[in-house]
Amino acid sequence: MAKEVIQDTDASRELARASESGSRLLSGKTGLLISLIAISMSLFQLYTGFFGELPGAKQLSIHLTFAMVLCFLCFPFSKKSSKDRVSIFDAVFAVIGGGTAFYLFVNYDHVVHAVGNAPLYDIIIGAVLIVLILEATRRSVSPILPIITIVFLLYAFFGPYLPGDLAHRGFRVKRIIDHIFMTGQGLWGVPLRVSATFVFLFVLFGSFLEKIGAGEYLINLSFALMGRFRGGPAKAAVVASCAMGSISGSSIANTVTTGAMTIPLMKKVGFKPHVAAAVEVAASTNGQLMPPIMGAAAFIMAEIIGVPYISIVKAAFIPAVLSYAAIFSIVHLEAVKENIRGLTKEECPPMIKTLLSGLHYLIPLALLIWLLLVTMWTPTTAAAWSILIACFVAAGNNIYRARYQFPRVLAGKVPLLEDPNAFEAFQQRPHGYMWRRTQTELLGALETGARNMAGIAAACACCGVIIGVVTLTGLGLKMATLITEAAGGSLLLTLIFSVFASIILGMGLPTTATYIIMASMTAPAILTISATQNLGLPIVAVHLFVFYYGIVADDTPPVGLCAYAAAGIAGSDPIKTGWKSFRLDLAAFTLPFMFIYNTKLLMMNTNVLELIYIIPISILGMFCWSVFIQGHWRIRTYVWERFVFLGLAFLLVNPGHLSIGDVHLNQHLVNGLAIVTMVVIYMWQRARQKKAAAIAA
């Protein structure tokens, strides 16, 4: 295998861990304590996955207890704070935060019966917990989310002094805290419940796959598949990020894990540093769209709208494929435009050997898909059993390495196809290697999964506070009314307002928080207009619309955390990288409008034959969109050609709504005319290309 492909990826994994799981990676007794707490959290979640959740909000209380402790121990107070030790204030905050979160578990019956008439000590404990949740979220996620939460809390208090329709009767501090802390409509609501069940186990499952080597295998396989094509490393980055996204559901971890290998190789074959980084950012961000493991917001969406998670997966599949088809096409056209080569045969890993070397890594993922799609198990149970199978795969893989593979590599009989660090560890201490390695992988996965979840749980708790204010004040209904009036009853304007709100909000918030807030504010407005105009938009389509724009905001400048991570690897300017990734990801900006107006793209009201027809036609449409973005196909396009391709993109992806006057055009006729137009322009560009070559000669 090429040296570049089998390079050490431990540094990238540590960067991913530091970016998402906590900026402190301590050793010694403190590091051991944090590891034990994180492993205990994962074991607790696995126990409830196998044997059932604890009743009421007790599970949420324990989940938040672990998360609060980890947030204050893993994340320093500020960038200037020491990252080599935990300060006394961090330790005190961890104890108080964990204690106030654990209060509900210990006094569950009392809290249930005291709702609406809570004694003062309950209010004080609730107030302390809310403040510490804001601080934990500030440290682990972003200062923006706590600021927005504070604005909502102030809105609940100062309601009588606000103008117009936003005014309400106002609530005392005691009433606000009682509603948020003592009831299931605030802090202990849907976001935290989903975090404590579905999301944790799926994040943990992704950590297990990464630790046992599935991530590296998928990256190597992507290079074997795509590396030799024009612009091969960039195409491999798209495929690898798609595959990694389907098992991690995380933008930043996806960026740094795959980017550590793909970005240097993209630069090597001729991509500019900021372009190489932008390709990785665009591909990694869209990983949250790719089933079966989508972002945390997808699980919350299923809970909010009351549908099985598998319904979300089914609806998101075709848009995810189209999104990646567009990015892949843009990357190909970029390589054509800049005349960028692929990797040589020597630089690429061998296809068949690479494929066969890691098929066992796909067993847990295949089982998860089987349990979700065929047996229809709940996501929690399916994830728990898939994690168990991943443990057996890890043990079996290390036994195979120690007894068969590595001895043959030492004898020079076979090449090393994966994980050079594991091979080096085997060389140093071959005796007992398989058990040491298995223990390291499994305990590391348990720890990483919990550390990954600490910030997510804090953010979900923060969103629970926001939802508590919305339910207490009726703000959701007020906002829906205001948006509907501002849009003048126009669905298109309402959608556009929602887009701008999601993008602006999402630039400072994680996808999960953006989705929860927008689902409370703008989704009801879209559904209201849909009902008023008898459009019958499915609720899944509306919430996916909001979800998509929350994801796109991840790589929208000037914030774009993924762009900063990728720019660090590429040595490029983060802002320049962000704008380029924004351009590469423009397909995701138009795609939600397409599936809102053509819900067959969400596999609704359609059949298998229609899908066989729709998917390739829609992929052609996304290719046309890519030509419009790049301004290049076989040769540089004229301005009029670019706008023709823009029209073809919308016609191919959504032809069912085209009409001239009162005449509704046949979908197949429109598609046929669009394809003929593509062929004509192709021949026209080919003739121009030959003429240009003849002149140059």
Side-chain angles (χ1 to χ4, degrees), residues 17-55:
R17 188 176 169 186
S19 298
E20 294 230 40
S21 315
S23 50
R24 286 184 180 135
L25 295 174
L26 303 174
S27 56
K29 293 182 180 179
T30 304
L32 178 61
L33 175 63
I34 292 174
S35 296
L36 290 175
I37 293 172
I39 291 170
S40 299
M41 182 181 189
S42 292
L43 290 175
F44 164 73
Q45 298 284 169
L46 271 175
Y47 173 83
T48 60
F50 282 115
F51 299 104
E53 302 167 19
L54 299 184

Side-chain angles (χ1 to χ4, degrees), residues 21 36 56 63 65 82 162 172 180 184 220 278 280 331 342 422 485 487 545 613 621 623 656:
S21 315
L36 290 175
H63 176 75
T65 299
S82 173
L162 296 175
R172 292 180 301 168
I180 291 172
N220 289 339
E280 185 57 55
V331 165
E485 291 176 353
F545 182 91
Y613 175 80
F623 176 79

Side-chain angles (χ1 to χ4, degrees), residues 48 190 270 277 431 445 461 478 525 533 567 570 611-612 617 667 677:
T48 60
V190 170
H431 180 70
K478 295 176 186 291
Q533 299 182 0
L611 291 177
I612 293 173
I617 290 294
Q667 174 181 346
T677 304

Side-chain angles (χ1 to χ4, degrees), residues 37 65-66 68-74 86 88-100 132 139:
I37 293 172
T65 299
F66 278 117
M68 293 292 286
V69 172
L70 288 175
C71 277
F72 286 112
L73 295 182
C74 293
V86 176
I88 186 65
F89 292 106
D90 293 334
V92 170
F93 283 159
V95 171
I96 297 175
T100 51
L132 291 179
R139 293 184 179 207

Side-chain angles (χ1 to χ4, degrees), residues 613 655-659 663-673:
Y613 175 80
H657 291 272
L658 184 67
S659 59
V663 180
H664 191 75
L665 298 185
N666 180 273
Q667 174 181 346
H668 307 298
L669 174 62
V670 172
N671 287 335
L673 290 173

